[in-house]
Amino acid sequence: MSQNLNSDTTANTASDALGDIENPEDLPLLVLASASPGRAKVLTDAGIDFAVQVSTVDEDAVLAGALERFGELGPADTALLLAKSKAEDVAAMDAADGAVVLGCDSVFEFEGVSYGKPYTAQAATERWEAMSGKSGILHTGHWLIDNRSEDEEDGGSGATIGAVASTRVDFETVSAEEIAAYVASGEPLPCAGAFTIDGRGAAFIRSIEGNPHTVIGLNVATLRELLHETGLSITDIWA
């Protein structure tokens, strides 16, 4: 089972530098339960107004509990479970009252094994030595909780729903020198699967099959589908 912890280091107008909501009275409709800079950029580029509130979930504990209850989870189920845990954690906070909360988590599947962040240079190097010239699947779980009141004025649906988006990634054959330089840059260490497609790692991606936003960590098309289930439109959260 992977233990993927996404990088959380961004904020916007309703959040402070740590991604914690400062002014609940100015809360946008959407709250992102992650401070991943990649996810924040996807939402910003899509013209979406949002605030960031970082979850306090102990992901190792969540995964250990799931292992005890259900046995080994597949990579897609792992991503969805962690996304759900993040969304539920933030939705329970007073700061997110009245918002629609989105939790996301990404897990990379390679040769039947789930991978999260490598964290160390040694782990990242070993992964790239194995992935070079091969393919894998990046799974991103999305979980949306409608935290609005269910009375007529707020129109909340009470929905708590999720979906997984998956994209195949084909890697170039990468030399030992290139791997060493990439790992030394630090970029792959905090990334699920030890790579990005929106940074230096893009040079080592031959092709993808699916939505590139899934690889970054948030598929806006999937968010649109989930919003529809709550009675909202993607246009309702445009800035």
Side-chain angles (χ1 to χ4, degrees), residues 10 35 38 57 68 73 112 118 124 136 154 165 181 196 209 214 236:
T10 194
V57 166
E68 183 177 347
L73 296 181
D154 287 347
T196 68
E209 183 178 332
T214 297
D236 292 328

Side-chain angles (χ1 to χ4, degrees), residues 75-195:
D77 287 337
T78 298
L80 191 60
L81 172 65
L82 292 175
K84 181 175 184 285
S85 298
K86 292 177 181 180
E88 289 177 339
D89 181 65
V90 169
M93 299 178 184
D94 290 341
D97 187 39
V100 178
V101 179
L102 175 66
C104 296
D105 199 273
S106 298
V107 174
F108 184 62
E109 178 182 0
F110 179 69
E111 297 184 339
V113 178
S114 300
Y115 291 99
K117 299 175 183 179
Y119 293 113
T120 68
Q122 179 179 348
T125 299
E126 290 172 353
R127 295 208 195 157
W128 268 100
E129 288 173 346
M131 297 187 307
S132 177
K134 298 181 181 179
S135 303
I137 301 173
L138 198 293
H139 303 280
T140 292
H142 305 69
W143 200 274
L144 194 72
I145 296 177
D146 189 348
N147 218 25
R148 299 172 296 164
S149 169
E150 294 182 56
D151 62 30
E152 292 184 6
E153 182 178 347
D154 287 347
S157 65
T160 174
I161 50 177
V164 178
S166 302
T167 294
R168 172 184 166 125
V169 181
D170 301 317
F171 298 102
E172 298 283 5
T173 298
V174 186
S175 70
E177 292 77 14
E178 288 172 322
I179 292 173
Y182 185 45
V183 171
S185 76
E187 182 180 278
L189 304 188
C191 300
F195 69 93

Side-chain angles (χ1 to χ4, degrees), residues 26-32 48-51 96-102 144-148 154 227 230 232-238:
D26 298 327
L27 189 69
L29 182 56
L30 181 69
V31 169
L32 177 65
I48 291 171
D49 187 22
F50 67 101
D97 187 39
V100 178
V101 179
L102 175 66
L144 194 72
I145 296 177
D146 189 348
N147 218 25
R148 299 172 296 164
D154 287 347
L227 286 167
T230 71
L232 292 168
S233 166
I234 191 71
T235 62
D236 292 328
I237 59 173
W238 281 353

